[in-house]
Each structure stands twice: as C-alpha cells, then as structure tokens.
Amino acid sequence: GRLALVRTNDAQGYLEVDLASPVQALSGIRTALYPLFLRFVGAVSPSYALLPPLQLLVHLAGVAAFYTCVVKVFPSRWAALAFASVLLWEKLAFRYASHMLADVLATSLATVAIGLLLAIAGAPRARRAWIALGVTAFLCWQARPVYVFLVVLLPLLAWPLRVLLGGSGREGRRVGLGLLGLLATPVLLFCTARAALVGHFGITSL
C-alpha cells in the first residue's frame, strides 16, 4: 500500500549515523536532523512502520502552516486554500512519504519556509514570521544539506515579492538583505563550529 515502508539506498546510512556525542554527530557526511527523527520513530516503532504515516502527517502539517502564513497575503481565503491544496499533492512529500528519505522531511519544511517568506513579504514587520523563517530554514538544510540553497533563494525572492505586494523597491531590498543576514548567519556559525570541533569548515564532511 501507499503507506508501506520503503527503505531507500540511503536508509542504512541515516540509521548508522553516530549520535553518541556532538563531535561524532558533526563528523559524518550527513547532518543529524533526519537521523534524530528516525531515532524518535524507531523508539516508538522499532520496525519503522510508523514512519510513512508520520512523514505524511508532517507534510500535511507543513501545508496547513503554509496556508496559515499566506491567508492574509492572498486576495481571499479561498485563493489561499486553493494554492495550499495544490501543495497537498506535491510529488516528493506526498508520493514518497512512505520512503525512508530525508528529502521528504526537508520538502515539508521548505513548504513552511516559502509560506513564511510570503507572510514576511506581505507584512515585513511581523517579527514572529522572521524568527520562524530563520528556525525553519535552519531545520530544512539540517534535514537535507542541499536545501542550503534556500539561504540565497529566499532573500532573492523577497525583493520582488515585497514590491509585488505593495512595497517600494527600497523596502524590498531591505527585506531581502535582512533575510540574507538572518538565514546566512546560522550557516556560518554551524560551519565555524564544525571547523573548531572536527577540523572541517562545511555543513558536512563530504
């Protein structure tokens, strides 16, 4: 069935990540968030049979969070609901929810991040949205390092989106630069911490 667990080629690598200490967790070729998520699932479901429904639940929660973020930005609640409904069927998160795959979790987090970006573009003084986006983006590339591209993409999108939603070009640039600082700082701090602890400046040792 759709919710029958599928172990991918990368599955064993995530299960074998050493989380015994911060140094060990930071030394490998994988970030720790998805292995930690798997440890949590394995604690309540040793066969990981609960992983697919939990990943699907995370996806649904991500779409619900997206709707909550954009409902004030779209012309109507129905427009926001229609757009969010499309995301329900997003291929990677929905069709691959049964797979032991870090991208499933990362895609759900990216969905929330995009919703928060739209919320900030519509209301740049919403401090909670800024904090939430900083945390969500950090968790996203911690789940799957390739999603670090959001650190650059989201600020680039913020500028035209702010203008599109009624702001000036100057305000759009200010929002974009602010987001770049917000999102890039955790990357630099994390890489610096890894350099100090394991002698390698980067998100992973790959």
Side-chain angles (χ1 to χ4, degrees), residues 13-39:
Y14 286 111
L15 294 172
E16 292 177 350
V17 170
D18 189 347
L19 301 174
S21 70
V23 173
Q24 291 298 327
L26 292 171
S27 297
I29 63 172
R30 303 188 189 282
T31 45
L33 184 60
Y34 194 64
L36 282 170
F37 179 67
L38 292 178
R39 294 287 175 89

Side-chain angles (χ1 to χ4, degrees), residues 9-179:
N9 292 334
D10 291 337
Q12 197 60 33
Y14 286 111
L15 294 172
E16 292 177 350
V17 170
D18 189 347
L19 301 174
S21 70
V23 173
Q24 291 298 327
L26 292 171
S27 297
I29 63 172
R30 303 188 189 282
T31 45
L33 184 60
Y34 194 64
L36 282 170
F37 179 67
L38 292 178
R39 294 287 175 89
F40 166 75
V41 176
V44 296
S45 176
S47 67
Y48 295 96
L50 286 180
L51 180 64
L54 282 175
Q55 290 191 149
L56 182 59
L57 184 62
V58 170
H59 171 59
L60 295 176
V63 174
F66 176 89
Y67 170 78
T68 302
C69 291
V70 305
V71 68
K72 294 182 180 179
V73 176
F74 278 74
S76 69
R77 288 182 177 271
W78 288 109
L81 184 61
F83 196 88
S85 296
V86 173
L87 295 176
L88 280 174
W89 309 101
E90 196 281 324
K91 181 177 180 179
L92 187 58
F94 182 76
R95 296 188 182 180
Y96 290 92
S98 60
H99 290 58
M100 192 175 284
L101 193 65
D103 293 88
V104 178
L105 181 59
T107 300
S108 299
L109 290 165
T111 298
V112 179
I114 293 170
L116 288 164
L117 170 66
L118 288 168
I120 290 170
R125 295 184 179 180
R127 293 183 179 180
R128 291 181 181 178
W130 284 76
I131 295 170
L133 179 54
V135 173
T136 303
F138 172 77
L139 293 176
C140 190
W141 57 262
Q142 280 290 318
R144 184 77 163 89
V146 71
Y147 283 78
V148 74
F149 74 87
L150 293 175
V151 169
V152 176
L153 179 62
L154 296 182
L156 285 176
L157 292 176
W159 183 351
L161 283 172
R162 179 57 195 147
V163 174
L164 185 64
L165 293 173
S168 64
R170 182 178 181 180
E171 189 176 20
R173 288 192 298 273
R174 188 164 61 245
V175 171
L177 290 172
L179 282 180

